[in-house]
Amino acid sequence: MQTELSRTLGVEHAVFGFTPFPAVAAAISRAGGFGVLGAVRYTAPDDLKRDLDWIDAHVGDRAYGLDVVMPAKKVEGVTEADVEAMIPEGHRQFVRETLARHGVPELAEGEASGWRITGWMEQVARTQLDVAFDHPIRLLANALGSPPADIVARAHDRGVLVAALAGSARHARKHQEAGIDIVVAQGYEAGGHTGEIATMVLTPEVVEAVDPLPVLAAGGIGSGQQVAAALTLGAQGVWLGSIWLTTTEADLHAPALTRKLLAAGSGDTVRSRALTGKPARQLRTEWTDAWDDPAGPGTLPMPLQGLLVAEAVSRIQKYEVEPLLGTPVGQIVGRMNSERSVQAVLDDLTRSFERAVDRVNRIAGRSGQS
């Protein structure tokens, strides 16, 4: 599964794996893919440094990257406390009532929320990059559009390629104008923040819009047949996120959540604003249903919603309150029905990719050529 882009990065397979878990990122790179660590959960620079140091020690000379979330435009002088003050009391009361209705215990006295969405704030992302650029990352990806121009220049000065996610050809062209090196065409099926155009439609539109920039296809991809289809559509690789959540190297800290993922079908996700304020595909739960109910107060815009629900999400996860327990995940969850190692996932991708290519060759009357 090699392409011009994978050869440029010295990667055996054109499989780019996004994950919040350092052990998974390192395992993807060791298995011949390209691991990309998500930085949004790191609010303390020392924690990110610790995990990047660990990855450095466990990937050998294999390449890996970092994914951040930062806006293209800077807002001066706005602190987390300023943003917190904008949250209406009625929304706070709705959170309290929903948690109480499901019997969710409080956190222990003095225990801080383990999940904060402050990584969406630009000043936090910049501190993350101060740490990351001291490590041998080969790729910087931004999930919230093109990074600010000075960040793109800073990455290029260090020989780091810059990627940005796009949900439409229009977004992709803006990335190209901003000097981005790689566009990730993220389809409607994808987990997390995603647009309304399906991967099969979006990928060739983006490929044509930004030619000759390399494009990675994302959204609903979890088999070698789908990788082959993405390359046929003009992509130079695939960007996979959800498929790694049920690997043995992943650390969800919630056996109940793993069970829910393994049992879920492809129709058990929903695009909801419940988590961050922007539409994000996630497991459908009684939590998402409550926020999407027209009788409720409705969600707040980003980043208010993320700050509002941060402690609630931590409590739901800590106590594994199954009716409310969820996570961002794509429609590919229907294929995630067993726990496997990262190496086993890559092996399955490569084997099924070869079978798909052989099948196409037979259809085209070129049996034995691949």
Side-chain angles (χ1 to χ4, degrees):
M1 296 189 292
Q2 282 204 334
T3 64
E4 182 181 350
L5 177 60
S6 66
R7 286 189 287 270
T8 296
L9 290 167
V11 179
E12 185 178 357
H13 305 301
V15 174
F16 293 71
F18 164 82
T19 174
F21 307 116
V24 175
I28 292 169
S29 291
R30 288 199 306 272
F34 189 101
V36 182
L37 179 67
V40 72
R41 294 177 183 270
Y42 292 91
T43 56
D46 287 347
D47 291 342
L48 179 59
K49 180 182 184 304
R50 176 201 63 216
D51 284 353
L52 290 179
D53 286 343
W54 187 92
I55 291 175
D56 290 343
H58 288 81
V59 295
D61 60 353
R62 302 292 183 119
Y64 73 94
L66 189 76
D67 179 279
V68 297
V69 180
M70 62 189 308
K73 296 181 180 179
K74 187 172 184 177
V75 179
E76 299 283 357
V78 178
T79 66
E80 182 179 343
D82 295 331
V83 177
E84 287 266 15
M86 300 177 189
I87 298 173
E89 177 57 30
H91 282 72
R92 296 186 187 277
Q93 181 63 26
F94 181 76
V95 170
R96 290 191 291 267
E97 291 173 353
T98 303
L99 296 177
R101 189 162 59 249
H102 289 85
V104 182
E106 298 276 354
L107 294 176
E109 186 176 352
E111 183 179 358
S113 167
W115 184 87
R116 298 293 283 173
I117 204 68
T118 51
W120 297 106
M121 303 180 74
E122 185 194 4
Q123 60 266 37
V124 176
R126 285 184 176 272
T127 63
Q128 293 168 347
L129 291 175
D130 289 340
V131 172
F133 284 139
D134 285 335
H135 291 76
I137 63 170
R138 296 289 309 280
L139 175 72
L140 170 64
N142 189 30
L144 201 62
S146 303
D150 67 298
I151 295 298
V152 175
R154 191 175 171 191
H156 287 165
D157 287 346
R158 289 163 172 76
V160 175
L161 297 180
V162 180
L165 276 65
S168 71
R170 179 174 60 85
H171 293 155
R173 281 190 287 267
K174 288 185 177 181
H175 295 335
Q176 186 178 38
E177 293 166 1
I180 300 304
D181 305 294
I182 302 166
V183 176
V184 181
Q186 186 182 39
Y188 173 82
E189 305 93 326
H193 295 116
T194 185
E196 298 184 354
I197 305 174
T199 304
M200 181 68 76
V201 175
L202 179 66
T203 302
E205 287 186 353
V206 171
V207 168
E208 182 177 345
V210 301
D211 184 60
L213 283 188
V215 172
L216 300 176
I221 300 172
S223 71
Q225 294 94 325
Q226 291 168 308
V227 176
L231 300 189
T232 301
L233 294 172
Q236 287 204 30
V238 293
W239 179 274
L240 310 183
S242 298
I243 197 73
W244 316 111
L245 289 174
T246 51
T247 57
T248 53
E249 292 89 347
D251 190 7
L252 288 176
H253 298 294
L257 179 54
T258 299
R259 290 196 299 271
K260 290 187 75 170
L261 289 169
L262 294 174
S266 57
D268 292 327
T269 69
V270 63
R271 284 174 75 244
S272 172
R273 299 176 184 268
L275 188 62
T276 68
K278 292 178 86 65
R281 186 171 298 284
Q282 54 202 283
L283 278 181
R284 182 175 181 176
T285 66
E286 292 187 28
W287 178 255
T288 62
D289 286 348
W291 282 106
D292 295 340
D293 188 338
T299 55
L300 298 170
M302 181 186 284
L304 300 183
Q305 182 72 14
L307 290 171
L308 168 66
V309 305
E311 182 182 320
V313 170
S314 290
R315 289 164 60 185
I316 292 166
Q317 291 177 344
K318 177 178 179 178
Y319 299 111
E320 298 190 60
V321 184
E322 291 204 35
L324 304 179
L325 187 62
T327 186
V329 68
Q331 291 180 333
I332 196 64
V333 70
R335 294 183 63 94
M336 295 159 50
N337 48 26
S338 66
E339 289 187 80
R340 299 179 293 168
S341 68
V342 167
Q343 182 68 63
V345 172
L346 260 296
D347 288 345
D348 181 64
L349 286 172
T350 55
R351 285 193 298 266
S352 55
F353 175 83
E354 290 171 358
R355 290 196 297 269
V357 171
D358 287 343
R359 185 182 306 119
V360 172
N361 281 331
R362 288 196 301 273
I363 292 170
R366 294 194 296 271
S367 180
Q369 300 178 30
S370 59

